[in-house]
RNA sequence: GCCUGGGUAAUGUAGAGGCCUAUCAUGAAGCCCUGUCGAGGCUUCGACUCGGGUUCGAAUCCCGACUCGGGCGCCA
């Protein structure tokens, strides 16, 4: 049987007289001599446990005084309506069970009186999450992912799971983490791209996967990690890339609407304006001319990717979510579909938040011969893509998809300064523990 | 990989060559206090990342190591 009978938010002054058992952490204690308070914290909030000298036994009071902050306790007692108590009620304990005594000193303060640096917090993440704000971030993360799944299921998607251990020959463009697979070399997957495409040949039609991806780039910024959660989508029987862009913008709008007004958001004091549909579409060519004479960015060469200064400048100009579409074919991976009438441009897109890139996608090449040709043109060996190309030889529908960074989505929604705030146990160039 | 700024008690900080056996707050320990809610009052505890150097004298200046942050690149 679960020790606790009620969470803190299930109690009220109207329940006065009722016997309950609450359980959680000793958040704070206040000793006023003749009366002793314990503020107990559970997942849902705080409850005041009050011990007036005359109403509880001397043994119980002495025992309670010996419990250190952040120790885990269960408290049996009666609810008492009390105007002087926070929330207008308190618990008068008949029994306090010490379940786990916390050592002193604590690695960081959980009450919000003293700050702690991100590095300190991550070193003791279990305790950091005891802080109201951090808990609100990770519960919002949970809410976001639930909203994403709800959206997908409401829109006829099938959730898939693909392997994170791969032989080799992924899409290129990034460094991979090598691992040992029995006596062979293998790698952690940089993206489910090839696998979700293969599933378009399976008839599932609309598939999504939410899973970690691994990139061995030695980047060192506030918006990069070596392990992130990718929200990946692939849709069959599309006519063009815009078909999946519409799904993406509707998803973003849906998630914002689901998250706005949640208690977690209130705890973080965040007002969440809902991005309006449709998002602005700007072609790569338009971007180049918009930035052409901008003094804040350097010379831009047609065909190159946009650097950070360009992203920032565009973000300032547009001021809300937008798409950059029709990127140069050579700047995108081999599977991006070129425009029929203008093959130097691809049917590709990036979803941008004013702060940074959130997602990228494209219509994919579904023609076996063209795909093979594009692989070769990128200087890759088609033989090592046999497992993938095979799916294009026996009936592959036209398809398109995208990958959205879950951490970046959360980061931009909650205006987090560092992507590490959005991950419980971030993996970056330096950190491998905890 | 490049540029740049840091590292002082358990946490967050003050400190700019002698005023530092180092400030303040949180905390911990003890005492007082029957309505606290960042409780209050009194007392106590606890730190200059490491290694060299300069100097009569170094937390402070210089060099190196380790380590953390910010910007860029790479990347998404």
């Amino acid at each position: 049987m679960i020790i606790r009978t009620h969470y803190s938010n299930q109690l009220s002054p109207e329940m006065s007289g009722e016997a309950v058992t609450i359980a959680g952490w000793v958040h704070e204690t206040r000793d006023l001599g003749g009366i002793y308070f314990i503020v107990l914290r559970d997942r849902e909030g705080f409850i005041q446990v009050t011990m007036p000298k005359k109403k509880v036994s001397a043994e119980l009071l002495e025992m309670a005084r010996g419990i250190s902050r952040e120790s885990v306790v269960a408290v049996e007692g009666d609810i008492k309506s009390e105007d002087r108590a926070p929330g207008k009620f308190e618990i008068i304990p008949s029994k306090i069970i010490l379940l786990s005594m916390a050592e002193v000193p604590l690695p960081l303060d959980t009450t919000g009186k003293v700050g702690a640096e991100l590095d300190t917090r991550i070193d003791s993440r279990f305790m950091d999450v005891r802080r109201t704000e951090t808990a609100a971030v990770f519960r919002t993360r949970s809410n976001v992912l639930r909203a994403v799944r709800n959206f997908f299921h409401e829109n006829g998607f099938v959730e898939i799971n693909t392997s994170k251990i791969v032989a080799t020959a992924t899409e290129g463009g990034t460094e991979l983490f090598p691992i040992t697979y029995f006596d062979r070399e293998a790698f952690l997957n940089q993206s489910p791209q090839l696998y979700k495409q293969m599933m378009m040949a399976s008839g599932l039609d609309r598939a999504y996967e939410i899973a970690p991806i691994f990139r061995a780039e030695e980047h060192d910024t506030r918006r990069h990690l070596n392990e992130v959660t990718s929200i990946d989508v692939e849709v069959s029987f599309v006519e063009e890339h815009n078909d999946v862009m519409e799904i993406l913008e509707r998803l973003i709008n849906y998630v914002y609407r689901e998250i706005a007004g949640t208690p977690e958001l209130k705890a973080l004091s965040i007002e969440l304006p809902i991005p309006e549909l449709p998002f602005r579409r700007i072609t790569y060519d338009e971007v180049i001319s918009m930035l052409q004479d901008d003094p804040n960015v350097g010379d831009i060469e047609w065909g190159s990717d946009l650097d950070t200064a360009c992203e920032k400048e565009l973000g300032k100009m547009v001021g809300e979510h937008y798409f950059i579409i029709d990127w140069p074919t050579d700047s995108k991976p081999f599977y991006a579909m070129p425009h029929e009438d203008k093959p130097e441009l691809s049917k590709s897109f990036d979803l941008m938040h004013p702060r940074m890139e959130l997602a990228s996608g494209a219509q994919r090449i579904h023609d076996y011969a063209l795909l093979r040709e594009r692989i070769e043109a990128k200087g890759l060996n088609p033989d090592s893509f046999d497992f993938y190309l095979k799916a294009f030889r026996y009936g592959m529908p036209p398809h398109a998809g995208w990958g959205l960074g879950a951490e970046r989505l959360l980061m931009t929604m909650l205006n987090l300064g560092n992507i590490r705030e959005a991950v419980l146990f971030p993996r970056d160039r330096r950190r491998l523990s905890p």
Side-chain angles (χ1 to χ4, degrees):
Chain A
M1 202 172 76
I2 299 292
I3 293 171
R4 107 164 27 84
T5 60
H6 297 78
Y7 276 110
S8 55
N9 62 349
Q10 296 169 322
L11 303 178
S12 66
E14 289 71 41
M15 295 163 74
S16 196
E18 207 171 307
V20 295
T21 303
I22 55 172
W25 286 259
V26 175
H27 187 67
E28 286 183 286
T29 62
R30 295 190 194 98
D31 189 352
L32 276 69
I35 186 166
Y36 189 73
F37 298 101
I38 289 177
V39 179
L40 183 138
R41 184 190 66 245
D42 66 16
R43 196 181 73 181
E44 306 301 334
F46 303 92
I47 315 165
Q48 175 163 292
V49 178
T50 305
M51 282 162 276
K53 211 176 203 170
K54 287 179 180 166
K55 290 190 182 171
V56 299
S57 71
E59 296 76 46
L60 182 65
L61 193 57
E62 194 187 342
M63 184 265 179
R65 283 200 166 110
I67 300 173
S68 59
R69 285 163 67 234
E70 294 303 324
S71 292
V72 178
V73 295
V75 177
E76 296 177 20
D78 295 336
I79 301 177
K80 179 168 168 274
S81 167
E82 170 59 68
D83 282 347
R84 289 171 296 186
K88 308 284 187 199
F89 73 93
E90 59 195 13
I91 305 283
I92 310 294
S94 51
K95 187 176 176 187
I96 296 177
I97 305 158
L98 178 60
L99 297 168
S100 173
M101 186 78 157
E103 287 180 21
V104 288
L106 300 169
L108 52 85
D109 168 53
T110 58
T111 65
K113 288 178 197 164
V114 194
E117 290 187 359
L118 184 57
D119 196 53
T120 307
R121 290 168 44 208
I122 294 172
D123 279 339
S124 300
R125 192 58 127 172
F126 65 92
M127 186 155 290
D128 181 41
V129 179
R130 295 182 192 181
R131 299 165 70 237
T132 309
E133 301 76 31
T134 308
V137 168
F138 288 105
R139 292 189 69 170
T140 299
R141 183 184 163 115
S142 165
N143 293 339
V144 165
L145 291 176
R146 184 179 55 213
V148 168
R149 286 198 165 87
N150 287 159
F151 175 87
F152 284 141
H153 288 284
E154 285 171 18
N155 285 275
F157 280 82
V158 175
E159 179 166 15
I160 59 170
N161 300 279
T162 63
S163 182
K164 304 305 137 197
I165 302 173
V166 296
T168 178
T170 48
E171 49 191 296
T174 189
E175 294 292 317
L176 302 176
F177 286 110
I179 59 168
T180 301
Y181 193 72
F182 301 110
D183 56 347
R184 282 180 288 173
E185 184 180 50
F187 300 92
L188 294 177
N189 209 169
Q190 64 170 107
S191 145
Q193 180 63 36
L194 307 184
Y195 292 88
K196 64 178 179 171
Q197 278 193 262
M198 284 188 278
M199 292 321 288
M200 291 302 98
S202 76
L204 288 181
D205 229 67
R206 303 181 145 218
Y208 79 93
E209 175 165 17
I210 300 174
I213 58 174
F214 306 90
R215 311 221 162 161
E217 299 293 336
E218 293 194 338
H219 33 52
D220 212 352
T221 81
R222 291 189 293 168
R223 56 186 192 285
H224 288 95
L225 286 172
N226 295 296
E227 178 183 11
V228 299
T229 306
S230 179
I231 300 168
D232 265 276
V233 153
E234 208 64 30
V235 177
S236 290
F237 299 102
V238 298
E239 275 186 341
E240 52 158 3
H241 47 329
N242 192 246
D243 297 334
V244 289
M245 288 164 59
E246 284 175 358
I247 292 172
L248 178 51
E249 64 187 346
R250 277 174 46 224
L251 170 71
I252 299 292
N253 176 270
Y254 179 94
V255 172
Y256 270 73
R257 279 188 283 124
E258 290 293 306
I259 298 306
T262 55
E264 288 81 10
L265 224 58
K266 286 198 188 81
L268 293 166
S269 310
I270 291 176
E271 289 285 325
L272 196 65
I274 314 294
E276 281 181 36
L277 297 178
F279 296 167
R280 190 167 158 192
R281 271 81 166 150
I282 308 174
T283 66
Y284 178 83
D285 285 347
E286 283 165 349
V287 165
I288 299 298
S289 57
M290 281 165 79
L291 296 172
Q292 201 57 254
D293 302 312
D294 197 298
N296 297 320
V297 304
D299 290 338
I300 307 168
E301 208 179 317
W302 193 93
S304 65
D305 212 343
L306 301 174
D307 61 23
T308 310
C310 291
E311 281 188 9
K312 281 188 181 152
E313 202 55 23
L314 276 172
K316 261 192 272 176
M317 289 180 188
V318 182
E320 55 193 6
H321 290 83
Y322 63 102
F323 285 107
I324 301 176
I325 62 170
D326 300 344
W327 291 75
T329 304
D330 287 343
S331 73
K332 289 290 175 184
F334 62 79
Y335 47 76
M337 177 76 95
H339 277 277
E340 292 84 358
D341 53 341
K342 225 178 179 189
E344 68 272 20
L345 295 180
S346 59
K347 296 184 174 183
S348 57
F349 60 89
D350 280 5
L351 171 66
M352 309 296 296
H353 177 276
R355 281 178 72 193
M356 70 187 86
E357 179 184 337
L358 292 182
S360 69
Q363 181 179 347
R364 326 296 192 185
I365 296 171
H366 60 282
D367 179 76
Y368 174 74
L370 178 58
L371 188 56
R372 219 186 140 88
E373 187 187 309
R374 292 295 306 156
I375 290 172
E376 280 171 352
K378 286 278 182 186
L380 299 166
N381 178 196
D383 292 344
S384 56
F385 290 93
D386 269 350
F387 72 98
Y388 165 69
L389 286 169
K390 190 176 176 186
F392 291 77
R393 287 160 47 200
Y394 303 97
M396 173 65 92
H399 61 280
W402 41 258
L404 165 67
E407 285 78 15
R408 287 190 174 186
L409 175 60
L410 187 65
M411 190 182 173
T412 51
M413 289 181 84
L414 301 185
N415 200 219
L416 304 174
N418 193 315
I419 197 165
R420 290 161 184 80
E421 298 271 9
V423 185
L424 282 170
F425 300 107
R427 288 290 172 266
D428 62 32
R429 180 180 184 172
R430 299 194 184 95
R431 189 179 278 279
L432 192 52
S433 171

